[in-house]
Amino acid sequence: MAMELKRQRQEGIAEGTRNMILAMLQKGFSAEIIADCAQTSVEYIIELGKKNHLL
């Protein structure tokens, strides 16, 4: 049960981060700035932006 709650919490955090990244892309932030804020790679930001037709 505890493992399931931890997994759900991590998925929620990941979804929140993804939504933040998409919002920042929509507002015109650079991939480098977003990657720094989200503590992820520029490549991931670009991939996510392309998949969502924002880049």
Side-chain angles (χ1 to χ4, degrees), residues 15-33:
E15 172 115 9
T17 299
R18 181 182 170 281
N19 290 339
M20 178 193 70
I21 290 168
L22 293 174
M24 291 178 79
L25 284 170
Q26 288 175 332
K27 293 182 184 295
F29 284 84
S30 72
E32 291 80 10
I33 295 292

Side-chain angles (χ1 to χ4, degrees), residues 17 20-50 54-55:
T17 299
M20 178 193 70
I21 290 168
L22 293 174
M24 291 178 79
L25 284 170
Q26 288 175 332
K27 293 182 184 295
F29 284 84
S30 72
E32 291 80 10
I33 295 292
I34 298 170
D36 187 45
C37 292
Q39 299 179 344
T40 191
S41 70
V42 172
E43 292 80 13
Y44 175 72
I45 303 302
I46 292 170
E47 179 183 326
L48 189 60
K50 286 180 179 179
L54 297 170
L55 292 177

